[in-house]
Structures are given as structure tokens and as C-alpha cells.
Amino acid sequence: MTSTVRSGVRSRSFWVRLHRYVGLVIAVFLIVLGLTGSVIAFERELDAWLNPELFHVSEQSAPVLSLDALAGHAQQFDPDAELITIRIKRDHGESIRVDLKTEQGTMRELFLNPFSGEALGARVRGAFVMDRAHVIPMVYRLHTNLYLPGHWGVWLLGGIALIWMLDCLVGFYLTLPPPLRSKEKNNSCRNWLSRWKPSWSIKRQAGQVRFNFDLHRASGLWLWPVLFMMAMSGTYFNLNAEVFRPIVGLFGDLTPDPRKTLPGTLQSGVDPVLGFSDAVLVAHQWLPAGNDNLELSFVRYMPALNVYRVAFDQKGRGNEVFAIKTEQVFIDGNAGTLTGRRGYDSGTRADRFLAWQFPIHSGQILGIYGRVLICITGILTAMLTMTGVVIWRKKCKSRRIK
């Protein structure tokens, strides 16, 4: 072999070992993340199916109660708790959810009948409890921070996502045809593609070892764009301020997050002048032009800032293709003035790139079809990881035999 070919072989051998051992290090995490991600692709539907008494209500001709009335009913349920968020977005025949922060600092999710304000039930968000009410939130928290304390779980999974993203590039490189000897060289594109073609297929009637290898390589190659984007968006969620925003900021201007730039007012125990309903009316006036058809998603009061955070989503978000627009308007709780905005149309191109990350990660970018794809991809990610472990075990076993 020529020196160039020998160098290429040595380089390829290094990347093979790197791909193998990096995969082993993150294997358990990818299996857990893949399987839990498959579940939460349909989080809302599964939660409602498991807990119909919390989610389902009989539709009535009477109008839905105002936000302030719903807030009053929530406070009656737990007078000592701090009302944080009213989640307005709901499907036909569903309840409204309210987030309460108890005196002990735990977050409770309260389900209200939107027509009467009746409390249908409550649960502790993210509690590690194996019952119908808590199993889906438990899976969600396992997917996001592994139940590790503080930010450790978030940072750990962010690191795993970053490593996975880089390993996806290595894995793709390893599917490419290896360098040829000088006598065999044919630089035609057609010849190169014919040598790459076997990487995309699974050899029929092959032995167990070859079948497992082909399954790992071909599945990873066909799913590569989805896997890479899942890893990238996972980095966005868990290492946003540490890694993702600084890198994106090198290529475009990012709008500062109002929650981090507004001065604190320490309004604890002091009620704002504006109520939830008034805050929504003011926020509507500050939506960017052409966004009047956005649906109210949630309203959150932040007492430390004395600011309402009012969120709007594009109609059909989560079920329709490319229904990904979202806007958040921040309103002063006393003066009713605009204190900040962030969203798809109100932001820069870099802001829009960030806004794409959640729809990509959840599959909502392609509506219901994308969510099905993410569900399947999660299962296949676990399968790909396990086939990689099997390949490594076979290699170790063959070395011991020799």
C-alpha cells in the first residue's frame, strides 16, 4: 500500500475505536433517553388516556371562566400556595391546568373544570411515584435530568447530547468507502457511490454477526439526519447558556432573555395591580403584525420581577406541519407596560434558529407525522445502541479466541 493509503487506514482505525468506546460510554444514557423520548412524543395524549378524571370534562354551552376567576378557584384549593402559571391551551373537552408552588417549595399541578372552576384533582409535578397520575411526568423528568439534584442532571445530559452529536459525525464518516490502493483507484463519482451503496442496506441471509453490523450501520445511516438534529437540539435544551447560545451568537444577533435582563423587584407577598385577564389583553396588543390568530398558551406571573409572561402559539401547533410560531410577551404587573418580547416573528434570524429547536426535538415541526417519527426514532436509537454494544462484545470475544 502507498503511504497515503496506509495513513488513511490508520486514521480510519482510530475513528473506529473512538466511535466504539464513545458509544459504550454513552450507551446507557442513549437507551434511557431514546425510550423515554418515545413516550413523551405523545406525552399529553398518554397522560390524558391514563388519567381521564383529571383531563376530561363535559363540554357546556356556558362560556369558559375568566383567567382571574380560575385563579381565584385555584387559590381556594390551596390558599397558602403561590399561583405560578395558568395553562390555557387545551383540546376539546379538556380541563385547564394551574401550577401552584407550595410553602415547602414543591410544584403542584392542579386540574380545573374550565366552566365551573371545580378542582378535578392535583399531583406533585415530577414526583417519583409509580401510579397513573405521576408516571408520565416521571418519565418526562427522567428524560430531562435523570432525577439528579440541582443542575447536575441537566448538565450531564447536555454533555451526553454534545458528545452524541460529535459521535454522529464520526459514525457517518465510517460509513463512507475506505481509501483504495493506487492500482484500484477510480475517481468517478459513480464508482464511489457504488462502493458506498452497501452501507445503506442489510445483507440478506447473512450470519448473525454480519446482520447485526449491517443493522447498526444501515439504520444509523438512514436515520442520521434525525439523530444528528435530536443530539443538537438536546444540547440546546441542556447547555443553552453554556454552549448553544454563545456559538449561535457568533453567527447572528440574539435577543436577550427578558427574564434575565429585567431588574428584580422582590414583590413576594404583594399582589400586582393587573390581574391575569388584564395582562393577556395588554399582551395581545403587543403581538407582532400578522400574529393576531395566535392562540393563548399560558400565562405565568413572576413575583420576583412583578411581570406577567404571556405565551401564544400558532394554531394547530403539535398536530399540523410547520405550525411552529410562538410569541412571548412580558407585561409589567403594575404599569401594564411592555417589558420585553421574544418569539419567532419578533426575533432575529438567530432567534428563529433557536425557536426551531423544540419543534425539531419533539417532532412538532412535522405535526403529528413528526411526532410519530420521533417516537419511532427513540425506539430505534435504543436498538442502535444495543447493536453497537453487541458488535463490541463480538469483537472482544473474537480477540480472546485468537
Side-chain angles (χ1 to χ4, degrees), residues 162-208:
L162 183 59
I163 293 170
W164 184 27
M165 182 175 67
L166 298 175
D167 195 43
C168 280
L169 297 174
V170 175
F172 182 83
Y173 163 74
L174 293 176
T175 69
L176 301 177
L180 291 173
R181 297 176 183 177
S182 57
K183 294 181 180 181
E184 301 171 331
K185 280 187 177 179
N186 185 336
N187 293 324
S188 70
C189 180
R190 185 175 180 180
N191 180 61
W192 187 86
L193 290 175
S194 67
R195 293 174 54 229
W196 194 26
K197 185 178 179 180
S199 297
W200 294 82
S201 59
I202 299 174
K203 188 175 182 179
R204 297 180 180 180
Q205 299 176 345
Q208 183 180 0

Side-chain angles (χ1 to χ4, degrees), residues 13 61 173 242 253 268 276 291 329 352 395:
S13 177
S61 58
Y173 163 74
E242 296 84 357
D253 295 328
S268 180
F276 284 86
N291 285 270
V329 182
R352 293 190 188 103
K395 292 283 186 182

Side-chain angles (χ1 to χ4, degrees), residues 140-353:
Y140 182 86
R141 185 168 176 183
L142 189 64
H143 184 81
T144 53
N145 70 356
L146 297 176
Y147 276 91
L148 295 178
H151 291 285
W152 291 109
V154 174
W155 290 334
L156 173 62
L157 293 183
I160 296 297
L162 183 59
I163 293 170
W164 184 27
M165 182 175 67
L166 298 175
D167 195 43
C168 280
L169 297 174
V170 175
F172 182 83
Y173 163 74
L174 293 176
T175 69
L176 301 177
L180 291 173
R181 297 176 183 177
S182 57
K183 294 181 180 181
E184 301 171 331
K185 280 187 177 179
N186 185 336
N187 293 324
S188 70
C189 180
R190 185 175 180 180
N191 180 61
W192 187 86
L193 290 175
S194 67
R195 293 174 54 229
W196 194 26
K197 185 178 179 180
S199 297
W200 294 82
S201 59
I202 299 174
K203 188 175 182 179
R204 297 180 180 180
Q205 299 176 345
Q208 183 180 0
V209 175
R210 178 56 186 265
F211 175 80
N212 188 76
F213 175 78
D214 284 351
L215 182 64
H216 181 83
R217 181 177 62 179
S219 300
L221 196 51
W222 282 103
L223 286 171
W224 191 88
V226 181
L227 296 175
F228 182 81
M229 287 189 291
M230 291 289 287
M232 180 179 66
S233 54
T235 307
Y236 160 79
F237 283 113
N238 293 63
L239 293 176
N240 193 333
E242 296 84 357
V243 175
F244 209 90
R245 285 183 66 92
I247 292 178
V248 174
L250 296 175
F251 300 92
D253 295 328
L254 287 170
T255 303
D257 188 337
R259 293 172 295 176
K260 297 180 179 179
T261 58
L262 292 172
T265 57
L266 300 177
Q267 289 286 313
S268 180
V270 179
D271 293 331
V273 174
L274 266 66
F276 284 86
S277 300
D278 291 332
V280 171
L281 289 175
V282 175
H284 263 292
Q285 300 172 10
W286 287 103
L287 284 174
N291 285 270
D292 296 337
N293 60 340
L294 296 185
E295 295 180 327
L296 181 62
S297 178
F298 68 81
V299 186
R300 179 170 298 161
Y301 179 66
M302 299 179 287
L305 301 175
N306 188 29
V307 165
Y308 284 98
R309 178 185 175 192
V310 187
F312 301 87
D313 285 342
Q314 187 173 350
K315 188 175 182 179
R317 182 180 172 95
N319 293 312
E320 296 181 8
V321 177
F322 295 123
I324 62 172
K325 284 188 179 182
T326 181
E327 293 289 337
Q328 295 186 9
V329 182
F330 296 78
I331 302 298
D332 185 278
N334 287 337
T337 54
L338 178 71
T339 59
R341 288 193 308 188
R342 58 187 301 211
Y344 195 85
D345 283 341
S346 61
T348 63
R349 291 183 179 181
D351 291 328
R352 293 190 188 103
F353 178 73

Side-chain angles (χ1 to χ4, degrees), residues 58-64 92 115:
S58 299
E59 285 291 329
Q60 301 177 17
S61 58
V64 173
H92 184 77
F115 304 102

Side-chain angles (χ1 to χ4, degrees), residues 88-105:
I88 312 301
K89 190 173 182 179
R90 66 187 187 96
D91 290 333
H92 184 77
E94 272 195 357
S95 59
I96 281 179
R97 287 179 286 175
V98 178
D99 294 337
L100 299 171
K101 186 176 182 180
T102 67
E103 289 186 308
Q104 293 74 32

Side-chain angles (χ1 to χ4, degrees), residues 65-76 86 112 116-117 276-277:
L65 293 177
S66 69
L67 296 183
D68 292 330
L70 290 169
H73 283 284
Q75 290 290 186
Q76 289 177 13
I86 303 178
L112 296 177
S116 66
F276 284 86
S277 300

